[in-house]
Amino acid sequence: MKTRFITSLFLIIMINILNAQQLQTGIVQYPEYGVQFTIPNGWFGKEMNDGYAMQSQTETGLVMLIVNELKTINALKEEFSKNIVEHGISLTPENNIEVKTNYVKRYYTGTAEGQAVKVLAYGCLNPNGYGVTAMIMTKTNDFSDVHKSILLKIKNSLKLTRPKVNESFNASICKRELGGKRLKHEKNTFSPGGVGGVSGSYSVTRIIDLCASGTFMYYGGSNVSVESENAHGYSGGTQDNQGEWEFKDEAGKVFLYLHYNNGESRYYHVTYGKDGGTYLDNTRYYRLNLKCN
């Protein structure tokens, strides 16, 4: 589950989860976020890259839930007061905003991919961690009290608690164990000569130097070589970047953030494997000693 409102609205008009496999019903739990909710009867749900989607075989519209990190009702009110214009969507908030002590409710109207649409959204606070934004979108002419009722049921089913944190593996541990180290991934492949005697090799090397000072250097490159009876060839490319690094705990997971000096940032999900190895986004990196200038 992600936190971006606009991206998730875009997702709503792009998917049909009823064609997907492993649809869920009933209670859904995300202990790493401290979030639990119940899928209404007659509806089916599936986790997507940008949130959690629900759809019905009998009712129009699609529901999306995403986590939010807003901590005050004023912050929610401000977020729900903005126009949304992005990715083929143009939505304007209606005047009838409802503000309570722990949630904000608002309607939006506009267009999505050229179609007139209406959106109802609830933004719910969690004083102990992550909140939830729940929304339903449908064509304007299809919107009815049924859609209001469905979203209200989902909103009322929310149980927001303190996220569960894996105390045995966190950002502080990664900073202590990986700071001042070189992380290196290397992969080499070779294809022996087949018909015509053509053979080739391919190698990928990625190095992230995490200097103890908090700065990093990134080196990435790939080399391809091809040999045959009549030709020899080689092509290669390298790149190196630098900036500052940090480890963060997010929803029970640890992420390595690389903040480049050009203003860009990239992050990796960090895990330790059963083999004791270090993995970034499920790719094995070897831990080496490092001396930074």
Side-chain angles (χ1 to χ4, degrees):
M1 297 176 72
K2 296 292 183 66
T3 60
R4 193 136 186 251
F5 188 40
I6 297 173
T7 302
S8 297
L9 283 173
F10 177 60
L11 183 64
I12 285 178
I13 64 175
M14 297 297 292
I15 65 173
N16 181 359
I17 68 167
L18 295 178
N19 294 329
Q21 295 180 343
Q22 298 179 335
L23 295 177
Q24 292 177 289
T25 58
I27 296 175
V28 179
Q29 295 176 316
Y30 286 93
E32 67 271 25
Y33 290 100
V35 172
Q36 175 182 305
F37 55 88
T38 302
I39 300 173
N41 292 334
W43 288 68
F44 302 87
K46 184 173 180 62
E47 182 177 346
M48 313 300 292
N49 289 335
D50 291 295
Y52 193 93
M54 300 183 203
Q55 204 165 16
S56 170
Q57 292 180 327
T58 58
E59 302 293 342
T60 59
L62 195 142
V63 172
M64 177 64 71
L65 274 69
I66 55 175
V67 294
N68 69 61
E69 300 179 63
L70 302 175
K71 299 302 181 184
T72 67
I73 201 69
N74 286 334
L76 265 178
K77 183 179 178 182
E78 181 180 353
E79 184 70 17
F80 274 55
S81 298
K82 298 176 181 177
N83 292 333
I84 299 172
V85 181
E86 190 174 337
H87 295 309
I89 291 177
S90 178
L91 297 174
T92 302
E94 295 183 354
N95 293 327
N96 54 341
I97 186 171
E98 182 178 327
V99 181
K100 301 295 185 180
T101 56
N102 61 346
Y103 73 86
V104 170
K105 172 186 175 183
R106 192 154 213 173
Y107 292 89
Y108 296 80
T109 55
T111 59
E113 296 295 291
Q115 298 185 41
V117 295
K118 189 178 184 74
V119 174
L120 170 60
Y122 286 94
C124 304
L125 290 178
N126 179 7
N128 297 310
Y130 292 90
V132 169
T133 298
M135 66 198 83
I136 187 167
M137 175 189 278
T138 188
K139 294 179 181 178
T140 302
N141 292 337
D142 291 340
F143 197 91
S144 68
D145 289 342
V146 172
H147 300 97
K148 299 177 188 179
S149 176
I150 286 296
L151 196 63
L152 181 60
K153 285 182 180 179
I154 295 170
K155 178 256 181 189
N156 288 341
S157 77
L158 281 169
K159 293 183 179 179
L160 304 179
T161 59
R162 190 178 302 278
K164 281 191 174 181
V165 178
N166 185 353
E167 298 293 345
S168 62
F169 183 75
N170 55 44
S172 296
I173 291 174
C174 290
K175 180 179 180 180
R176 183 175 68 248
E177 296 182 353
L178 301 180
K181 299 292 184 180
R182 165 171 288 185
L183 303 180
K184 182 177 181 181
H185 166 71
E186 193 166 32
K187 182 178 181 180
N188 298 287
T189 60
F190 175 74
S191 175
V195 178
V198 178
S199 63
S201 64
Y202 181 75
S203 66
V204 175
T205 300
R206 299 190 190 98
I207 296 174
I208 304 174
D209 287 347
L210 301 179
C211 298
S213 62
T215 61
F216 76 87
M217 291 287 293
Y218 174 87
Y219 311 87
S222 60
N223 297 317
V224 179
S225 64
V226 178
E227 294 186 3
S228 69
E229 297 173 346
N230 301 314
H232 297 272
Y234 176 86
S235 65
T238 61
Q239 60 176 357
D240 63 286
N241 294 281
Q242 55 186 334
E244 297 182 346
W245 62 266
E246 64 174 333
F247 289 98
K248 287 185 177 182
D249 292 309
E250 296 184 2
K253 299 178 182 179
V254 179
F255 291 87
L256 168 62
Y257 279 81
L258 302 181
H259 304 295
Y260 292 89
N261 288 337
N262 63 5
E264 297 180 357
S265 292
R266 182 173 183 178
Y267 63 87
Y268 301 85
H269 178 206
V270 184
T271 54
Y272 286 176
K274 293 181 179 179
D275 56 1
T278 301
Y279 290 79
L280 304 183
D281 290 343
N282 296 318
T283 299
R284 175 68 186 269
Y285 280 74
Y286 290 91
R287 195 185 312 179
L288 306 171
N289 291 328
L290 172 68
K291 288 186 179 180
C292 294
N293 295 328

